[in-house]
């Protein structure tokens, strides 16, 4: 009853996401990740990711420009509702956005086209930082137009990775195998889990790890929209860089991320909470697909908290809620969760030197916020712990 959308390109989801690098509040973080130190994440790993990407909050002069009137309206609405407005870091080059606004280059982010690759070059996607730095070290190679089909245990140690090289149209060019003593999975919640389940079911991975595919979730996402009487029909400047916290319900806090649109008079908000339940992923060998087993999150306490919070927000401006996109998962998380499928440095139980390092590690939640910053900071934490011991 849901679909999950994955970015398949050099840079992955970082090319098509909203650029939001928001840090979760401490109490929500500790409720979701009791085995991690929030203080260490706060003082070391979150700042490290922000610096590595070159991210920063929206500057005041850009927020004051005509293209960003919808963002300013959202700030006024959330403050009137008694919520806290936030300006999280965004992985965008604001100087390029300034050039867009000045008419020096074709507009992209500043007219709401930030999720579509952002053709002005303003988005600080991972091909510009982490991947670029890895390749420049001389110790890493990026192979585009390549799909991993299978992972096999290799005797007496290590793993064989079966790959297929394809054309841009998906036609097979060749199959080949790579061998490794240490293998790190970073294909995202959906595809890391798919590869692990597929390889287990095929008998190529023999560890009896029954937790792979479990504790998958949608991060408590709900995309909500309103017709706003004070939002013009002009494109709304992006990226998504203004958030709001509603802590009026201490058991079910809600965070809103204002999501600018390239069209219309809608205001679009992504409401996020800690989901009350999780689902699971399974593998269908007949279709070679991963199946999502998920109960629609509409009547749980966290879902009702999101709707109540949104209703209160809409009431501040006399707007009208309208149906928008349903059944789409923007932030799939889980499938190889720390403490259940993996230990706290991502090593899969039942396997030696096979590590997961992406959003699969998070138990269906990122503690009421967009997950990109926490996924990256946790990867930094894992690698810092692992490298001295390898």
């Amino acid at each position: 009853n849901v679909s999950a959308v994955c970015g398949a390109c050099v840079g992955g989801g970082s090319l098509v996401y909203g650029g939001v690098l928001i840090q979760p509040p401490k109490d929500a973080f500790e409720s979701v990740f009791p085995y991690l130190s929030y203080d260490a994440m706060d003082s070391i790993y979150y700042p490290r990711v922000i610096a590595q990407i070159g991210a920063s909050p929206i500057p005041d002069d850009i927020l004051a420009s005509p293209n960003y009137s919808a963002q300013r309206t959202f700030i006024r609405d959330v403050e009137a509702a008694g919520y806290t407005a936030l300006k999280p870091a965004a992985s965008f080059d604001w100087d390029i956005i300034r050039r867009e606004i000045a008419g020096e280059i074709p507009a992209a982010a500043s007219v709401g086209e930030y999720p579509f690759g952002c053709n002005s070059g303003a988005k600080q996607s991972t091909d510009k930082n982490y991947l670029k730095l890895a390749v420049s070290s001389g110790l890493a190679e990026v192979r585009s137009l390549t799909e991993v089909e299978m992972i096999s245990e290799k005797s007496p140690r290590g793993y064989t990775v079966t790959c297929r090289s394809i054309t841009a149209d998906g036609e097979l060019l060749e199959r080949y195998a790579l061998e490794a003593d240490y293998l790190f999975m970073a294909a995202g919640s959906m595809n890391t889990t798919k590869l692990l389940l597929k390889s287990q079911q095929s008998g190529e991975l023999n560890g009896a790890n029954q937790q792979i595919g479990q504790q998958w979730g949608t991060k408590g996402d709900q995309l909500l929209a309103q017709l706003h009487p004070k939002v013009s029909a002009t494109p709304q400047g992006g990226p998504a860089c203004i958030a709001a916290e509603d802590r009026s319900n201490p058991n079910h806090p809600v965070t809103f991320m204002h999501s600018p649109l390239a069209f219309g008079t809608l205001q679009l908000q992504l409401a996020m909470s800690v989901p009350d339940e999780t689902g699971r992923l399974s593998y269908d060998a007949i279709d070679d697909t991963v199946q999502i087993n998920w109960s629609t999150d509409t009547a749980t306490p966290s879902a009702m908290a999101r709707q109540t919070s949104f209703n209160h927000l809409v009431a501040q401006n006399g707007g009208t809620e309208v149906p928008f996109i349903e059944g789409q998962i923007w932030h799939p998380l889980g499938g190889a969760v720390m403490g259940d499928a993996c230990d706290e440095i991502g090593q899969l139980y039942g396997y030696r030197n096979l590590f997961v390092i992406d959003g699969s590690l998070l138990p269906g939640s990122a503690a009421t916020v967009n997950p990109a910053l926490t996924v990256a900071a946790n990867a930094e934490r894992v690698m810092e712990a692992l490298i001295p011991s390898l």
Side-chain angles (χ1 to χ4, degrees):
N1 57 3
V2 292
S3 300
V5 182
C6 305
C9 43
V10 177
S14 76
L15 272 73
V16 291
Y17 85 133
V20 180
L21 296 173
I22 184 171
Q23 184 170 324
K26 183 175 183 178
D27 55 350
F29 179 95
E30 291 179 340
S31 72
V32 175
F33 308 107
Y35 38 77
L36 297 182
S37 167
Y38 184 84
D39 291 340
M41 296 288 277
D42 177 60
S43 61
I44 301 171
Y45 305 113
Y46 285 140
R48 182 179 296 172
V49 172
I50 297 294
Q52 190 78 281
I53 292 176
S56 61
I58 182 171
D60 290 342
D61 63 307
I62 293 178
L63 182 58
S65 66
N67 295 46
Y68 291 80
S69 63
Q71 303 273 23
R72 298 193 300 274
T73 298
F74 176 66
I75 292 174
R76 289 194 294 269
D77 288 346
V78 300
E79 290 177 344
Y83 306 160
T84 302
L86 305 171
K87 295 180 182 178
S91 55
F92 277 74
D93 185 328
W94 295 108
D95 285 336
I96 293 179
I97 293 178
R98 285 189 179 97
R99 295 183 63 201
E100 291 184 29
I101 295 170
E104 298 174 6
I105 57 176
S110 61
V111 292
E113 294 180 6
Y114 60 97
F116 310 117
C118 194
N119 291 324
S120 68
K123 187 177 290 189
Q124 303 280 48
S125 47
T126 56
D127 55 307
K128 297 181 178 180
N129 40 72
Y130 278 103
L131 292 176
K132 181 180 179 180
L133 289 167
V135 172
S136 67
S137 72
L139 302 173
E141 177 186 353
V142 173
R143 296 191 180 185
S144 60
L145 293 173
T146 304
E147 294 180 341
V148 174
E149 291 187 310
M150 190 72 70
I151 302 164
S152 308
E153 291 179 87
K154 180 168 67 76
S155 180
R157 54 176 285 179
Y159 300 91
T160 299
V161 178
T162 303
C163 306
R164 63 193 298 264
S165 177
I166 58 175
T167 68
D169 295 322
E171 296 179 5
L172 176 66
L173 295 176
E174 64 170 331
R175 280 188 171 85
Y176 61 90
L178 300 173
E179 295 186 349
D181 293 332
Y182 298 86
L183 184 60
F184 296 86
M185 305 288 292
S189 170
M190 303 302 296
N191 285 306
T192 287
T193 306
K194 175 185 175 180
L195 281 167
L196 292 172
L197 289 171
K198 178 181 180 179
S199 300
Q200 277 191 328
Q201 289 186 27
S202 300
E204 298 296 324
L205 290 177
N206 298 310
N209 189 328
Q210 300 301 313
Q211 293 303 311
I212 296 172
Q214 303 300 311
Q215 291 202 63
W216 181 88
T218 67
K219 197 192 62 58
D221 281 354
Q222 186 174 353
L223 201 57
L224 297 161
Q226 62 167 313
L227 284 171
H228 197 297
K230 298 179 182 178
V231 173
S232 69
T234 57
Q236 301 168 19
C241 56
I242 303 294
E245 276 187 343
D246 174 14
R247 308 306 294 269
S248 60
N249 183 340
N251 295 319
H252 298 284
V254 176
T255 302
F256 291 100
M257 180 54 64
H258 175 60
S259 304
L261 291 169
F263 55 87
T265 60
L266 289 175
Q267 268 219 343
L268 191 63
Q269 324 297 354
L270 181 65
M272 300 169 284
S273 61
V274 176
D276 297 290
E277 57 190 45
T278 57
R280 64 184 178 89
L281 300 178
S282 58
Y283 176 69
D284 185 338
I286 296 176
D287 296 327
D288 189 30
T289 57
V290 65
Q291 301 294 318
I292 301 173
N293 301 279
W294 172 254
S295 299
T296 303
D297 182 24
T298 57
T300 63
S302 63
M304 289 187 285
R306 293 193 300 266
Q307 190 64 55
T308 298
S309 186
F310 184 68
N311 291 346
H312 181 58
L313 180 62
V314 172
Q316 305 310 305
N317 54 57
T320 305
E321 181 180 358
V322 294
F324 202 68
I325 300 173
E326 297 181 359
Q328 297 289 336
I329 304 308
W330 308 100
H331 301 119
L333 297 170
V337 172
M338 289 180 288
D340 289 291
C342 304
D343 62 22
E344 291 174 18
I345 56 172
Q347 184 167 231
L348 279 162
Y349 292 132
Y351 300 98
R352 185 182 177 206
N353 300 336
L354 178 52
F355 298 90
V356 173
I357 199 168
D358 58 20
S360 308
L361 294 173
L362 277 60
S365 174
T368 77
V369 298
N370 304 63
L373 179 59
T374 295
V375 171
N378 190 53
E380 288 277 11
R381 179 191 67 83
V382 168
M383 295 312 298
E384 183 177 84
L386 280 176
I387 288 174
S389 65
L390 297 183

